[in-house]
Amino acid sequence: MVSKFGNRFLISTDRSSLVLRIDGIGKLLTDYYGRKLTGLLDDDHLGIDYPFPQGTSVVYSPDYWNHNLSLVKSEIATMGKGDYFSPSVILSDDRTQVFDFVYDSYRIQEPEPIDGFPTPHGASQELVIVMAERQTHARLSLHYVVYESEDVIGRYAEIINDSDLPLAVKKLSSLQLGLTNDGYRIIGLTGSWANELNRNATKLVPGKFVLSSNTGFSSNRANPCFALASSHADFTHGDVYGFNLVFSGNHEESVEMDTNQNIRVQVGYNPLLTEIVLAKSKSFVTPMAVMAYAEDGLNGLAHRFQSFVNDCVIPPYFKNRERPIAYNNWEATGFDFNDGKIKKLMKKAKDLGIELFVLDDGWFGNRDNDSQGLGDWQCNEKKIKGGLKGLSDYAHGLGMTFGIWMEPEMVNKNSKLYQSHPDWIVKDVDHQPCPGRNQYVLDLSRTEVQDFVYQSVKSVLDSAKIEFLKWDCNRPLSDYPRSGSFFLDYFKGLYRVLDRLTKAYPTVLFENCASGGNRYDLGMLSYFPQSWMSDDTDSFQRELIQYGGMLGYPQSTFSNHVAAKTSMQMLRKTSLDAKFDVAAFGVLGYELDLNDLSPIDQATLSAQISYYKAHRALFQFGILSVIESYEDGNVFSVQVHRGDEWMIGRYGAIQLANPKLSYLKALDVDPNAIYAYASRQESIPLSKFGSHINSVTPIHVNPDGMALAWLMKNKDMKSEIDQGHAYGASLLSQGPALSVEWNGTGYSDKIRLEGDFGGRIYHLIQSSKSTHLS
Ligand code: GLA
């Protein structure tokens, strides 16, 4: 809801308000962003002007001797008029590089799509404030897009050149916001390959903190999502601001603070090597940045962003649509497969209850390793007799759906595509382009390349019944052409292709992937509802990745696979159930070699799959919160909550000697209600006990010998079951005690043996005392 009160605008969502003010010289200022205001009062003094210029300041003009632009909480900043914060807008023409925008007009309109960039749907209103340059006839429109019930405000900027001189746009942030320091910590999501989305908190000090990518893609180095949390904020209480950008390319987010503790937040595309030159009456528009304010801590912010993504970002067809449990053959077979091997895996997957089979890399062209074949999207019928149709028919005959892997933006030199179109790759005039994973990037800024990519994917999707497509992108950009708009044009081209494809195949579930999470952002999620979060399938690493991701994204976007017991990436060994405990908080899948499963493993996986199916909506669409994190100790605990049901994942890092007692905590429960709780019973592998197995076996067993190997395949131990009832009040402040952790002696069904990097899932349901869970 947008209202105008004199020289002020009040933009309100269900639980937050943003107040903007046009000051005496026509500058647009942030007066307030916080809890919802039901109106504006004449004398509420939300913003105040400095009554005097500080020592070394430059004042705006002789008529405004006290007006120092460095001391105001401006919604845009240019250079040359005494604002010494970093500019959010940098422009120049042949005559000047000083630009001075002042208020011109406003309008309130129906929200409109942004030309060239994905625009989240479901906004209720849009306020456009037009600022005019005092001398040069440039106009700057600031768009405030209100997602009322989501508590999210979008902002983007558009510049129009009305003068006869060409206008160079060297930087144009989507968003600038003024704040005053409240002991803020910046919480960013930084990382690298196989280690994405680490939550990192840094206390703000005077200076400038920048999160950015210049890899060409939004990157695993720094996600565009970040939060500012006040000194007293924790998971459930306190003021938190969050920001993100609906764009998949280079981005830059900065938080700058001066010694007066004035803060400017900026979010936008990264202006590095980007300069747009506008002829007369041409305009340039930025992607949308989004922001949210929460008074209820980091979980509160996460809930707003999670619901915004589910409701307004992902394609509407997939809103609340339950996602299938997938099997992907990559970690089991790599490139080494044929139709017989795949059909055998399909059959085994089906027997376990898996619903979707995804054929990964290696099915096309001469793609027997990663140095060849990319770009030739015809099925290799020598490897797969009967082609994709044969495999798809087989899967459907079994009662499963079928999916496929593609990497449409890339090409290997060893391919027919490269032989016919060597000029289609991204390259500069002189240098030999750098390979990445032996491949090169197709220049999606060119229309003929966009058409090729569209047609390649279309012909694959038309060649068989294909319900799922994993879209990969395994290297960043390099060797860019000398064009000031390349880093934006690449994505406008990509988005054009994705828009066409998702409109032509609205029910196909696309999974975003870029060597895991190297391009996990609101831009890609606008077309692809879920994402392969990381190439690291080790469950402990995934706990950390999911912990980071959930700050800004819902678990319906997390594609999580249970992989082999010994992690391919970490060589860390954890049980299949420990892996499931983490993977279940997202879209569940499997990626291990099903031929290696023992009878016990098969029973374990079947039980996991049945459990997940019974609670799928809760796992995929429940409100996700952090209860405890490793920052505070040895336990990491999360919950999903939907209606009167909860699932709690409770994990430990390294097992400690003489551990303290453990209790089951939950959030968002009614203190006066009664809840039934029950742990999911797990399979404990006998190998955990090593030679201690001999304390229970009638004959001596060599822990490294054949007898134990045989026993392990056919027998396991069952974990403890913790169940009972609890008042909500107890769950909120202490919780019921859980079985005591293993501590060196006396295993029994009253002992909780999680070991290193283990965990449990607990189901909680509001109930009358008589309800029992199993
Ligand atoms: C990337 C993906 C993997 C797999 C391989 C195939 O690394 O992240 O999941 O699909 O490509 O080459």
Side-chain angles (χ1 to χ4, degrees), residues 330 360-361 367 405 437 470 472 474 513 515-516 532 535:
W330 177 246
D360 210 279
D361 196 355
R367 184 78 170 168
W405 177 97
R437 206 196 185 199
K470 176 178 172 187
D472 213 335
N474 280 314
C513 176
S515 305
W532 182 232
D535 275 351

Side-chain angles (χ1 to χ4, degrees), residues 604-670:
T604 303
L605 264 49
S606 294
Q608 293 175 355
I609 289 165
S610 307
Y611 191 81
Y612 186 82
K613 283 180 179 170
H615 304 289
R616 183 186 334 229
L618 181 55
F619 278 126
Q620 295 185 352
F621 299 108
I623 300 167
L624 178 61
S625 311
V626 183
I627 304 172
E628 282 178 82
S629 82
Y630 289 130
E631 284 140 26
D632 303 318
N634 200 40
V635 174
F636 171 53
S637 174
V638 295
Q639 69 170 33
V640 285
H641 164 212
R642 201 172 199 238
D644 59 2
E645 283 190 84
W646 284 248
M647 278 289 174
I648 298 167
R650 198 175 178 285
Y651 317 100
I654 306 276
Q655 185 179 3
L656 301 171
N658 301 328
K660 67 175 185 181
L661 292 177
S662 310
Y663 299 89
L664 184 67
K665 280 195 172 179
L667 301 174
D668 305 327
V669 291
D670 173 357

Side-chain angles (χ1 to χ4, degrees), residues 626-762:
V626 183
I627 304 172
E628 282 178 82
S629 82
Y630 289 130
E631 284 140 26
D632 303 318
N634 200 40
V635 174
F636 171 53
S637 174
V638 295
Q639 69 170 33
V640 285
H641 164 212
R642 201 172 199 238
D644 59 2
E645 283 190 84
W646 284 248
M647 278 289 174
I648 298 167
R650 198 175 178 285
Y651 317 100
I654 306 276
Q655 185 179 3
L656 301 171
N658 301 328
K660 67 175 185 181
L661 292 177
S662 310
Y663 299 89
L664 184 67
K665 280 195 172 179
L667 301 174
D668 305 327
V669 291
D670 173 357
N672 300 314
I674 294 172
Y675 296 84
Y677 67 92
S679 57
R680 193 182 83 87
Q681 193 172 39
E682 305 204 347
S683 161
I684 313 268
L686 293 179
S687 58
K688 262 229 153 336
F689 295 90
S691 59
H692 295 297
I693 195 80
N694 286 305
S695 55
V696 292
T697 47
I699 51 159
H700 182 86
V701 178
N702 176 348
D704 299 320
M706 302 285 283
L708 187 60
W710 181 88
L711 210 58
M712 267 174 54
K713 283 186 187 155
N714 295 286
K715 235 189 140 24
D716 60 358
M717 310 266 289
K718 294 293 175 210
S719 73
E720 84 295 346
I721 292 182
D722 276 309
Q723 63 181 5
H725 288 81
Y727 276 106
S730 139
L731 288 158
L732 286 167
S733 50
Q734 176 199 287
L738 298 174
S739 297
V740 173
E741 267 190 84
W742 165 263
N743 195 19
T745 48
Y747 184 75
S748 78
D749 63 0
K750 298 280 176 290
I751 299 288
R752 190 161 45 91
L753 177 53
E754 288 179 9
D756 294 345
F757 310 110
R760 292 284 185 272
I761 292 177
Y762 301 87

